[in-house]
Amino acid sequence: LVSTEEDKYGLYSNLLLKYFLAEGVVCGHDLFVASAKEHPDNILKELPAPLLDDTYGKDLGDEAAVKSEDFQDSMKIAWRYQSLPKIEASPTTYTKFGHYYDISKKMSPELYQSVKWHSFYLHEELSSEPEMQAWNMNSGYARLLQSIQRIISQEGFDGSDPQKKQRNVLRIGIQSLGSILWGDDVCCSDAPEDPHSLTKFLYVLRGLLRKSLSACIITVPAHLIQNKAIMERVTNLSDMVVGLESFIGSERETNPLYKDYHGLVHVHQIPRLNSLICDVSDTKDLAFRLKRKLFTIERLHLPPDLSDTVSRASKQDLAGSAKLLSSGCGAVAIGKRHLDF
């Protein structure tokens, strides 16, 4: 269970959701798409097109290697730093990992219709049946859980029951869980009338995922949830929690420190299934950028100070920004690579 804290405008979190679903299509997995905002059919129509040509990735790796060599040739490094290990924002050699996608193109209908997929659109569900209550949570969450449970049981994803047909994996994507469109009020007040429906839903969903061949990613509008205790419970009930901070509309958008990036990635929690401890990355500072075709995550570094005339004020601004960067949580070891789920 992966929880993604949405950026302010939900642009990049929805892109991560579509990457997750697109990888399921290419791998031949079954899909379950749930939303109370955008119709699941429209989400599937907006999936990025896969790049199935390996030469594209190789060209990308060769280009990165050339840029790295040119950068090293143009820099004069002091003798006392020459023996230190080099830190690279991205691997200079191309390694095949999963699949890559072109966000400038849409996946062909023939491709995403080649896999079996199920949809849950809350407004259609509420109009088709009378309101219901189950598991002491609101109607929207109860209906969604019943739908997921039915698909897991009927389509052969229940790991506790012996299956005769060939087993497959179910990928579940849930958009903007916890928003007011789901009938929840946790985004409306710091003292909501129903503060437990969201956490009850995640608790039951986690149990369903544990005993089934399923993987799930949800996006949560964390910036709208004013009660921090609720977000702490959401974090504890998730296996992995990733937050996206977009620079759109913020002062960091014009900060020279972040001129090459479109936002920061905060990894608040990483999986530690069947283990007492979790892996710890050697870097805490991750950023993402949206290129013409690719969405990449890479290590964030301070730019070199090559000018002798930099004012004291600008140096203090950069120092303050660096202090903000170092206050992040532990992160998985992610270099500059394309998102693969």
Side-chain angles (χ1 to χ4, degrees), residues 290-331:
L290 187 64
K291 299 182 180 180
R292 185 172 63 91
K293 292 185 177 182
L294 304 172
F295 180 84
T296 61
I297 296 177
E298 63 187 54
R299 293 188 180 100
L300 178 63
H301 299 288
L302 286 173
D305 185 4
L306 302 178
S307 174
D308 295 333
T309 60
V310 179
S311 64
R312 184 182 301 272
S314 62
K315 288 184 177 180
Q316 290 177 350
D317 293 340
L318 287 177
S321 299
K323 185 179 295 184
L324 289 175
L325 285 175
S326 62
S327 61
C329 300

Side-chain angles (χ1 to χ4, degrees), residues 183-197 227 230:
D184 205 341
D185 60 343
V186 294
C187 293
C188 304
S189 171
D190 56 353
E193 296 181 2
D194 186 14
H196 303 296
S197 281
N227 193 324
I230 295 178

Side-chain angles (χ1 to χ4, degrees), residues 49-61:
L51 290 169
L52 302 179
D53 188 2
D54 291 343
T55 59
Y56 184 87
K58 293 180 180 178
D59 293 340
L60 186 67

Side-chain angles (χ1 to χ4, degrees), residues 78 146 203 206 222 225 256 259 261 307 320:
Q146 284 193 343
Y203 187 81
R206 189 172 180 175
I225 300 179
K259 64 179 181 179
Y261 308 101
S307 174

Side-chain angles (χ1 to χ4, degrees), residues 78-93:
W79 63 269
R80 59 180 174 178
Y81 299 123
Q82 289 179 355
S83 60
L84 294 178
K86 297 180 178 63
I87 300 178
E88 298 176 351
S90 63
T92 56
T93 58

